[in-house]
Amino acid sequence: MWKKIIGQIREYKLPAILTPLCMLVEVAMEMIVPYLMASIIDDGVYAGNMNHILKIGLYMVFAALIGFIGGILGGRFASVAATGLAKNLRKSMYDNIQTFSFSNIDKFSTSSLVTRLTTDVTNVQNSFMMVLRMAMRAPASIIFAMCMAFYINARIARVYLVAVIALGIVVFTIICSATKVFRKAFPRYDKLNESVQENVTAIRVVKAYVREDEQIDRFRKASKGIYDIFKKAEGKVVLNMPIMQLTVFSCILVISWMGAKMISVNDLTTGELMSLLAYCMNILMNLMMLSMIFVMLTISAASAERIAEVLDEESDLKNPENPVTEIKDGSVTFTDVSFAYNYERGGKPVLENINLDIKSGETIGIMGGTGSSKSTLVSLISRLYDVTAGSVKVGGVDVREYDLETLRNSVSVVLQKNQLFSGTVIDNLRWGKQDATYEECKKACEMACADEFISKMPEGYDSKIEQGGNNVSGGQKQRLCIARALLKDPKILILDDSTSAVDTATDAKIRSAFRSRIPGVTKFIIAQRISSIQDSDRIIVLDNGRIDGIGTHDELLKSNEIYREVYESQTGGARDFDETEVV
């Protein structure tokens, strides 16, 4: 995991290497200063040698200046390396997410992916910066200070050694206890982001149903969950400081007592005692810093695991070694097709034994009740999912043998949930074809009956579309999405309930335009409205993932009970409703 994370440093390796080197320079200068101070006291102040004081004082200033420069450069290099790592992690995660199939995306919630791209990356960034600076600085300071202390007086230095070992054991115990609590925080972040995302996305629904208080309460609970976890964890971590202070003051007392006795018998000088006290503070405070590094590493380890999960995830859908890059026509053949979501984890089939032979240029209507897998069926054509069993062929070739980009450029899909992006009308249309001319966009919009309302907008095709298309109606959004799909000049066009918000007259105009202007394109129209599909060449009736009937409108009225019941309910041909039948 860490190898994969650190591998994202890439072009920021040099700053990452220079940071600890600069920290070593800073530490070395810090270790020299107390030693030089001892010389000033013993050989300058007590001896009354002003020249020695000035000379050693200049050395101290020089050492402090070098250490200061080392610290500044170390901080700068660490910032560059850490922010660079965060940038690369976000880019690599985002790039990999773009390769995911629908089944890959199903494994992660949207809120979880947002948390991983933001909070988790920030945790790793902060931890990496601390490691670059303090993971080298703190151990080096402890080692250097300990060596200097033993060099000055080994007997007193043993006090440090005992204190470091005892303090290390206590701190390690505290950190291990706290890390178990910290790990529980990240799933709570996912819940918090989920609450925010749903509220902001569905803000109109929230206000329409006056559910602001309920949403506020939901957010408060998610936020308090994170608060409680961090409160508990920090409650353990804060024990570090009083234990550290107790150890520091105890060491100072012991060293002062031992040092005073040794000074009285000339086994130690006053300057040396001052240096030893400085080294004592340095050792113990750096040990405290080391403990905080462990806390940060523990928090970031959980984040790193979540980031690595996204980086390691490979798309279930891959191009074959020698993909087919040309599609002959829009014919579609389903042979013994079955499909199940999460099949590897025991998912039950939602489509079973589907056999269809559709000629290029045919218009196929698809209808069925909610949950009958209409959308799943057409998703297999553009290989948004792979079949569990059987095969789907387009143009006589199994879709798994095509280059994915070639296949999806030839199959235009207007999904059930229409999505527009912030920008202009023409920007959104050019999602279908990046280099589409104004005339091409207008032609597609005329076919989708969108030109009539676009021309009435203040700036026409240059009018702004808000994020999510919130400044256009549902019907207008659907027509823009249809026009966008038509710009791809596809061999197969799939409309997944894409005219549900369009009035019947406009719906009829769109279907008429399809018949006259794109007769060679194979069209799949999923609809709940019989009028939207009754003039199709054939209509497929799905029921619980199986084909219940297939034929023309007239044939199904005679032979298929499901189709006939829907038709009668929509046209008023059913018997009168009897309230006494309701239980």
Side-chain angles (χ1 to χ4, degrees):
M1 176 191 70
W2 284 114
K3 184 178 180 181
K4 181 173 287 292
I5 298 297
I6 299 303
Q8 295 294 322
I9 297 175
R10 295 197 292 264
E11 69 270 29
Y12 299 100
K13 286 181 181 178
L14 182 60
I17 293 171
L18 290 175
T19 299
L21 295 178
C22 291
M23 292 296 100
L24 286 176
V25 171
E26 184 184 23
V27 168
M29 295 302 102
E30 283 185 359
M31 295 303 104
I32 290 174
V33 169
Y35 186 76
L36 295 176
M37 178 62 72
S39 178
I40 285 180
I41 294 173
D42 293 336
D43 301 329
V45 176
Y46 284 163
N49 188 343
M50 183 57 67
N51 289 332
H52 184 78
I53 293 173
L54 292 175
K55 178 182 176 181
I56 301 301
L58 286 174
Y59 289 160
M60 288 178 65
V61 171
F62 182 74
L65 183 61
I66 296 297
F68 177 70
I69 294 172
I72 289 178
L73 291 177
R76 176 176 175 77
F77 289 139
S79 297
V80 171
T83 52
L85 173 64
K87 182 198 74 173
N88 288 344
L89 281 174
R90 291 192 187 97
K91 183 179 185 302
S92 295
M93 289 173 69
Y94 189 80
D95 289 348
N96 200 39
I97 289 170
Q98 300 310 304
T99 69
F100 286 179
S101 66
F102 279 19
S103 58
N104 293 119
I105 294 172
D106 291 342
K107 295 179 183 179
F108 304 95
S109 67
T110 304
S111 58
S112 179
L113 288 174
V114 171
T115 304
R116 293 167 200 243
L117 283 163
T118 52
T119 303
D120 288 330
V121 171
T122 300
N123 286 337
V124 171
Q125 175 186 341
N126 292 337
S127 178
F128 184 62
M129 181 181 290
M130 179 170 279
V131 166
L132 285 179
R133 299 188 66 193
M134 297 304 168
M136 178 62 75
R137 191 186 194 287
S141 292
I142 293 172
I143 293 169
F144 284 170
M146 191 68 74
C147 291
M148 292 299 294
F150 271 94
Y151 175 75
I152 293 171
N153 191 290
R155 182 180 170 190
I156 292 180
R158 292 192 188 101
V159 175
Y160 301 163
L161 195 58
V162 173
V164 166
I165 293 173
L167 192 59
I169 293 172
V170 173
V171 168
F172 181 77
T173 303
I174 292 172
I175 297 304
C176 287
S177 177
T179 52
K180 294 178 182 178
V181 184
F182 275 123
R183 286 180 178 272
K184 298 177 182 178
F186 298 99
R188 301 292 181 92
Y189 273 120
D190 290 347
K191 290 185 179 296
L192 184 70
N193 281 344
E194 182 180 356
S195 174
V196 174
Q197 180 194 355
E198 286 189 350
N199 181 271
V200 173
T201 304
I203 190 66
R204 287 168 172 77
V205 178
V206 172
K207 293 192 174 295
Y209 284 86
V210 197
R211 292 299 181 94
E212 292 91 342
D213 290 341
E214 180 182 312
Q215 290 295 309
I216 289 171
D217 184 59
R218 181 185 175 194
F219 179 83
R220 185 183 294 116
K221 287 179 180 177
S223 182
K224 190 175 185 302
I226 297 175
Y227 164 78
D228 289 339
I229 287 175
F230 275 95
K231 179 182 177 182
K232 184 177 180 180
E234 295 292 348
K236 296 176 181 293
V237 173
V238 293
L239 293 174
N240 278 357
M241 185 56 71
I243 292 173
M244 179 66 66
Q245 288 178 335
L246 177 64
T247 306
V248 169
F249 295 143
S250 298
C251 282
I252 290 174
L253 286 173
V254 172
I255 292 170
S256 298
W257 179 74
M258 291 179 63
K261 291 184 66 175
M262 294 178 72
I263 289 174
S264 65
V265 294
N266 294 322
D267 286 342
L268 189 73
T269 67
T270 303
E272 288 174 337
L273 177 60
M274 295 294 294
S275 296
L276 288 169
L277 289 172
Y279 289 133
C280 171
M281 290 293 295
N282 189 288
I283 289 171
L284 296 179
M285 292 310 296
N286 276 285
L287 188 62
M288 177 69 174
M289 188 60 67
L290 205 57
S291 72
M292 295 309 298
I293 292 174
F294 288 131
V295 174
M296 287 295 297
L297 282 174
T298 301
I299 296 174
S300 64
S303 292
E305 287 176 8
R306 289 158 53 85
I307 292 170
E309 285 176 359
V310 177
L311 293 175
D312 289 337
E313 186 74 14
E314 294 183 4
S315 176
D316 295 338
L317 307 179
K318 296 181 179 179
N319 278 341
E321 290 186 7
N322 298 300
V324 178
T325 57
E326 185 176 349
I327 297 178
K328 183 177 65 175
D329 56 40
S331 61
V332 178
T333 305
F334 286 75
T335 306
D336 298 325
V337 168
S338 293
F339 175 77
Y341 293 102
N342 299 319
Y343 178 71
E344 297 80 5
R345 288 175 279 177
K348 296 181 179 179
V350 295
L351 285 172
E352 293 184 273
N353 302 320
I354 304 296
N355 287 281
L356 294 168
D357 189 8
I358 298 160
K359 297 177 182 178
S360 182
E362 274 193 293
T363 298
I364 303 297
I366 302 176
M367 69 156 294
T370 302
S372 58
S373 300
K374 303 183 295 296
S375 298
T376 303
L377 178 71
V378 295
S379 294
L380 301 177
I381 299 173
S382 56
R383 207 186 169 200
L384 297 177
Y385 294 97
D386 267 342
V387 297
T388 303
S391 67
V392 178
K393 294 181 179 180
V394 171
V397 178
D398 194 308
V399 293
R400 290 168 290 195
E401 296 180 20
Y402 281 116
D403 173 71
L404 270 172
E405 187 174 342
T406 299
L407 176 65
R408 290 177 183 170
N409 276 332
S410 297
V411 181
S412 277
V413 183
V414 183
L415 297 171
Q416 192 170 11
K417 185 178 180 181
N418 299 288
Q419 183 66 53
L420 295 177
F421 300 87
S422 54
T424 64
V425 170
I426 203 163
D427 287 340
N428 274 274
L429 292 171
R430 283 173 176 159
W431 273 70
K433 184 181 178 182
Q434 290 184 359
D435 58 349
T437 63
Y438 177 87
E439 288 73 21
E440 288 175 321
C441 292
K442 184 176 177 62
K443 181 180 177 181
C445 287
E446 287 174 350
M447 204 183 313
C449 295
D451 183 66
E452 58 188 47
F453 74 82
I454 294 174
S455 60
K456 295 177 183 178
M457 297 176 77
E459 297 178 57
Y461 283 81
D462 292 319
S463 298
K464 296 292 182 181
I465 296 291
E466 294 180 3
Q467 185 177 10
N470 291 326
N471 60 330
V472 292
S473 70
Q476 291 172 336
K477 187 186 295 186
Q478 286 185 334
R479 283 180 276 175
L480 283 172
C481 290
I482 293 172
R484 181 173 64 189
L486 290 171
L487 272 172
K488 292 179 71 174
D489 192 21
K491 286 184 168 60
I492 299 171
L493 176 64
I494 298 172
L495 303 181
D496 188 355
D497 206 14
S498 303
T499 56
S500 57
V502 175
D503 62 86
T504 53
T506 303
D507 187 14
K509 287 181 183 178
I510 293 172
R511 287 183 283 109
S512 176
F514 287 172
R515 282 194 301 271
S516 62
R517 300 176 71 170
I518 51 172
V521 175
T522 306
K523 296 166 280 291
F524 290 85
I525 302 174
I526 297 175
Q528 298 293 342
R529 208 161 49 191
I530 292 289
S531 61
S532 297
I533 58 174
Q534 68 180 25
D535 58 352
S536 301
D537 296 316
R538 283 185 290 169
I539 300 169
I540 300 169
V541 180
L542 287 177
D543 184 37
N544 292 323
R546 292 176 178 271
I547 295 177
D548 188 76
I550 184 168
T552 64
H553 171 71
D554 292 334
E555 289 171 347
L556 290 174
L557 280 178
K558 297 175 182 178
S559 63
N560 190 269
E561 184 179 350
I562 294 176
Y563 189 83
R564 185 168 55 250
E565 287 180 356
V566 173
Y567 176 77
E568 290 175 349
S569 68
Q570 292 183 7
T571 59
R575 61 188 176 86
D576 292 337
F577 177 67
D578 187 354
E579 293 184 0
T580 61
E581 293 182 358
V582 179
V583 179

